[in-house]
Structures are given as C-alpha cells and as structure tokens.
Amino acid sequence: MTATTPSIPPNVRADVECLWTYHDMHHDIRPTDVGIGFGSHDLGVAMIATDLFRRGMYPRLVFTGANAPTTIERFPRGEAVHYREYAIDHGVPAAAILIETQARNTGQNIELTRELLAEHRIEVRSVSLMSRPYQQRRAYATCKKLWPEVDVICASHPLSLDDYVTSIGDVDKVINMLVGDTQRITKYAELGFAIAQDVPAEVELAYARLVDAGYTSRLV
C-alpha cells in the first residue's frame, strides 16, 4: 500500500504560507568565519551545512545540540553527533568539525558554541547559522541578543513548503512548529532572550487564525 503524501489543509494554506515566508530571513549566502548547525529533528540542517562547507563558505563547522523529545528516537546518540557523522560521510574533513553536545535550546546553542570556539581560540567576526527553515528568524534574533558583535547569515536546506512537509512526513507537526516559532519571536524578545523583530499585521492575523484552528501544541 502506497503511503499518502501529507498535505496542508486548504483552509489554512494561506496562513501557513504567510508564516513560512516570514521566518525565512532571505539572506544572501556569502563566506563567513564559521558555520553553525543547530540540532533538531531535521537532517536538512546537516545537509545545508555540509553543502555550504563544500562550496567554501566557511573553513570551520560546528554542530550544536543534545536531544529533545522530538529528536531522541531519530538521533539517539545526540543531534550534533549524528549531524557530524552525516557531514563526514559527505566529504567534510573530521578535523574541520567541532561538536557541542549539551545545548537544549537556541540560547544554549549560541552560548555554548561561542564558548567552544573561544576554547579553541578561533576568532569569529561572522557566522552562518543553519537551522530548520521556520527557525531562521528566531536563530537570528537570539544570536544578535547573545552575540551582538558578529555578522549573522541564516540559511536552511532549500526546499519549498510542500517539499519540506513531505520531507518531515507530518503536516500537523510542521504547522504547529511554525505557530510555536511565531509566538516565540514576540515572547522571547519580551523575556530578554532575543532582540525584538518586526511582526507585520498579516503575520499576526495568520498566527491568530492558526491558533484558533487548534495548532497550539508548540505554544509556550
């Protein structure tokens, strides 16, 4: 029996697309001092990090992440460890990779990676942050709060929204994650975890409608 490809319900598609576009920082990729891959359930982070290294976008690559309830089954040895293994298997020299295996949230990803690079006496003026597509804006805002002096470029594995949903295989999970990250843009700025980001009215309305539709499992 052929599995049915997950699809976005038509009644919420426009709102999901609105949030998807908002979280993409639309940065132009260019060389930086270090690439940092944020651990998650999404192997696409390791894919884009590996691809950009092989394209000469940075000489050093750090993978950061322990485990979360959403990743322990897929990456039992830890997110950063599995990402490192993928990168090495796809041509990144082991000597070019550092791993940070304790971080359990985005703030810790930044802080512990910064400490690790300092321990290795690696000077950093610019970073490429690789994350899930809908985490780009939050990763940027967190990094600029905790590491304001560095220039930040955000990148994700280049997939369309529908292709991303298919790659994850769980449309409800993707929508809930999008809604949760949208809430965190405002909430985390209020709590001092990240810099404030502009949230256009159409994004606020799309977020509110998706919450009303029941996509609330990732709210804080």
Side-chain angles (χ1 to χ4, degrees):
M1 183 176 178
T2 303
T4 302
T5 301
S7 59
I8 299 166
N11 62 311
V12 299
R13 170 171 282 277
D15 290 333
V16 173
E17 289 177 345
C18 179
L19 299 193
W20 175 264
T21 300
Y22 172 67
H23 288 285
D24 187 338
M25 297 297 290
H26 302 286
H27 285 165
D28 293 327
I29 302 301
R30 56 179 173 76
T32 59
D33 295 324
V34 178
I36 303 172
F38 286 47
S40 72
H41 62 270
D42 182 2
L43 190 61
V45 176
M47 293 177 181
I48 185 64
T50 298
D51 177 60
L52 293 183
F53 178 90
R54 295 182 65 182
R55 286 165 54 188
M57 292 298 107
Y58 36 75
R60 177 77 71 173
L61 178 56
V62 182
F63 290 120
T64 167
N67 265 129
T70 56
T71 65
I72 194 164
E73 184 175 337
R74 186 173 191 188
F75 300 134
R77 294 185 300 283
E79 299 156 2
V81 173
H82 281 266
Y83 282 9
R84 178 181 184 273
E85 292 168 353
Y86 176 91
I88 292 171
D89 288 346
H90 290 81
V92 179
I97 304 172
L98 295 173
I99 59 171
E100 182 291 302
T101 61
Q102 302 302 311
R104 297 185 181 277
N105 57 55
T106 304
Q108 290 179 2
N109 288 137
I110 298 295
E111 291 176 326
L112 296 179
T113 294
R114 185 178 184 180
E115 292 174 6
L116 179 64
L117 290 165
E119 289 170 8
H120 284 79
R121 299 182 180 180
I122 297 170
E123 184 178 358
V124 181
R125 292 161 297 182
S126 58
V127 296
S128 297
L129 302 183
M130 275 76 63
S131 68
R132 295 162 292 182
Y134 52 81
Q135 191 186 5
Q136 281 193 26
R137 186 170 292 277
R138 180 159 60 92
Y140 175 85
T142 304
C143 189
K144 294 305 289 185
K145 178 70 176 185
L146 299 175
W147 204 356
E149 65 271 25
V150 296
D151 188 22
V152 179
I153 300 294
C154 294
S156 299
H157 189 47
L159 292 176
S160 69
L161 172 58
D162 289 303
D163 286 343
Y164 185 77
V165 169
T166 299
S167 75
I168 299 301
D170 186 337
V171 65
D172 285 344
K173 181 176 186 175
V174 173
I175 297 174
N176 276 296
M177 290 284 196
L178 273 165
V179 171
D181 261 64
T182 304
Q183 182 202 36
R184 284 163 175 78
I185 295 299
T186 301
K187 188 78 169 177
Y188 285 5
E190 292 172 351
L191 293 171
F193 299 160
I195 65 167
Q197 295 277 284
D198 180 56
V199 183
E202 61 268 23
V203 173
E204 292 182 342
L205 290 170
Y207 163 78
R209 285 190 293 262
L210 289 168
V211 169
D212 288 343
Y215 295 101
T216 59
S217 69
R218 292 293 297 171
L219 297 182
V220 292

